[in-house]
DNA sequence: TTCATTTATTGAACTTGTTCAATGTTTTGA
DNA sequence: TCAAAACATTGAACAAGTTCAATAAATGAA
């Protein structure tokens, strides 16, 4: 199912049929079982992926064994550890399927091939990286300026769909709080 | 002084003399007095800047009037509100000189001109945006997983130079804590 | 120089969020 | 279908970080 991928690309830039085909052919489809990993800490992230089905979490495990979610990726989202992928260094992150999932994967070599052969691909990833950076910038500001209560309310409003599909443990790991405290926030909100 | 800019660009990609010249000519130099602003909340950020002298802070003011620093930019750093610049929407941020400073500014129009006329410029900003995104991703993980003590120690180690030039009020606003609490952290560290 | 402003420190009371342990519920996999 | 595992909630004690007010030191502008 590259139809979703094509739509996603055309959403960012315009490409000819030929260009689209030759780019999309660089991707391999992969099915990932629930709870299975696309990436583990210590591995070098050798792919960039586009989710066509299911849901992933990209997370860190800190020195005390607690997990922090960098982001969730559902259908139509891109997924990678850009740090490890770009610098070819061991990743600090885990990427795990939270549901039965499917991704289209492109290797670093093929991606660089595309940069060289299809000039607009450079623009595509320039624009996409800008957008993800803008999102992260907004999240950074929110994390610095808002209380956990407000971040939780914002999360539900911004990602109503993810809210349905995630457990509170996962949402708490994204908000940067313990799941017990999230439970208390939920009670407080519910009692209003 | 575009020499610093040229070095910065060549650090990311290779360009011919001609390409460098025609790109660098798109920048205008501007001097910014200490405490003066390059951007204020509500304005649309119409520039991307390269700092050749001095030091800036890019910060948010939240609903309670507290300031949070998104990043500092000293010599050899790029500076903009990428959100406002890209989407041409009113900025939520302030950009202020903390010292007598100088920047080279490029407008959105001229930057897009460069994208069209100098193909490698697309790669330049793709690579640069990737790098800033990687930095922010690391900071996000650190903010989610580390205590204020550790973030302060990391800051000193990572930016010894900025540490010298900044007040504790500014550093606290970057770490996301009150300056009083930073003072208590400093005492604790000093007493060891 | 001097006076005002900004910066840094401190303590006490307070708020936000964590930790731990217990309990009940839901989901899942064999 | 049934036992195990994961999930959600709660309370109590605790730790991390804030707020406010007071004081002293450093800086800056006239």
């Amino acid at each position: 199912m590259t139809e979703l991928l094509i739509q996603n690309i055309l959403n960012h830039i315009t490409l000819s049929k030929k260009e689209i085909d030759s780019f999309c052919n660089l991707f391999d489809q992969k099915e990932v079982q629930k709870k299975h990993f696309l990436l583990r800490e210590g591995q070098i992230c050798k792919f960039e992926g586009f989710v066509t089905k299911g849901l992933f979490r990209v997370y860190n495990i800190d020195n005390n064994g607690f997990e922090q979610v960098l982001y969730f990726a559902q259908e139509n989202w891109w997924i990678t550890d850009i740090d490890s992928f770009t610098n070819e260094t061991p990743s600090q992150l885990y990427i795990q399927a939270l549901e039965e999932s499917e991704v289209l994967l492109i290797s670093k070599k093929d991606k660089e091939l595309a940069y060289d052969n299809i000039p607009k691909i450079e623009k595509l990833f320039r624009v996409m990286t800008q957008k993800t950076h803008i999102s992260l910038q907004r999240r950074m500001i929110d994390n610095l300026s808002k209380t956990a209560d407000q971040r939780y309310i914002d999360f539900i409003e911004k990602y109503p769909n993810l809210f349905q599909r995630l457990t509170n443990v996962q949402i708490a790991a994204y908000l940067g709080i313990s799941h017990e405290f999230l439970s208390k926030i939920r009670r407080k909100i519910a009692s209003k």
Side-chain angles (χ1 to χ4, degrees), chain A:
Chain A
M1 266 305 291
T2 58
E3 193 47 46
L4 208 63
L5 175 59
I6 293 170
Q7 279 315 308
N8 183 276
I9 293 167
L10 292 179
N11 217 15
H12 292 107
I13 57 165
T14 54
L15 280 184
S16 72
K17 247 197 165 68
K18 228 180 197 170
E19 289 170 321
I20 291 196
D21 274 356
S22 81
F23 181 58
C24 289
N25 277 335
L26 300 173
F27 288 78
D28 289 322
Q29 180 163 353
K30 183 170 184 174
E31 296 182 11
V32 188
Q33 299 285 101
K34 186 172 175 172
K35 293 193 185 173
H36 284 214
F37 290 86
L38 266 184
L39 180 73
R40 287 167 190 272
E41 185 189 0
Q43 297 176 341
I44 292 174
C45 181
K46 297 204 173 293
F47 63 89
E48 186 146 347
F50 178 78
V51 182
T52 52
K53 184 186 147 194
L55 176 57
F56 292 87
R57 63 172 175 145
V58 181
Y59 66 102
N60 178 246
I61 300 185
D62 69 22
N63 296 333
N64 302 315
F66 290 103
E67 299 177 356
Q68 296 88 32
V69 170
L70 193 56
Y71 62 95
F72 300 106
Q74 57 183 339
E75 298 83 4
N76 214 23
W77 281 65
W78 291 82
I79 196 167
T80 190
D81 173 3
I82 193 179
D83 193 345
S84 171
F85 181 80
T86 303
N87 300 318
E88 295 181 282
T89 50
S91 179
Q92 176 181 171
L93 302 175
Y94 296 79
I95 301 182
Q96 185 191 38
L98 292 175
E99 302 175 358
E100 181 91 16
S101 302
E102 279 174 28
V103 271
L104 299 170
L105 298 179
I106 185 171
S107 70
K108 193 175 169 80
K109 234 173 252 171
D110 284 345
K111 199 182 164 198
E112 264 153 24
L113 215 102
Y115 284 146
D116 293 339
N117 298 332
I118 317 168
K120 278 191 188 153
I121 295 300
E122 193 84 53
K123 182 179 285 280
L124 173 66
F125 284 98
R126 198 253 306 156
V127 170
M128 287 196 343
T129 307
Q130 265 178 15
K131 288 190 182 176
T132 56
H133 185 61
I134 289 169
S135 298
L136 189 57
Q137 175 168 306
R138 289 181 184 158
R139 182 171 172 211
M140 191 75 226
I141 293 170
D142 285 352
N143 265 268
L144 289 172
S145 63
K146 294 179 175 172
T147 65
D149 298 48
Q150 196 52 55
R151 298 205 305 276
Y152 176 63
I153 293 167
D154 290 353
F155 182 87
I156 296 172
E157 195 171 320
K158 188 166 183 188
Y159 307 110
N161 172 44
L162 282 179
F163 170 66
Q164 305 277 9
R165 292 163 85 174
L166 293 167
T167 64
N168 290 335
V169 171
Q170 296 307 328
I171 294 174
Y174 179 88
L175 299 176
I177 57 177
S178 67
H179 68 276
E180 294 96 332
F181 188 54
L182 178 53
S183 187
K184 286 159 196 173
I185 289 174
R186 286 161 53 78
R187 178 176 43 171
K188 204 173 77 182
I189 291 173
S191 77
K192 286 184 185 167

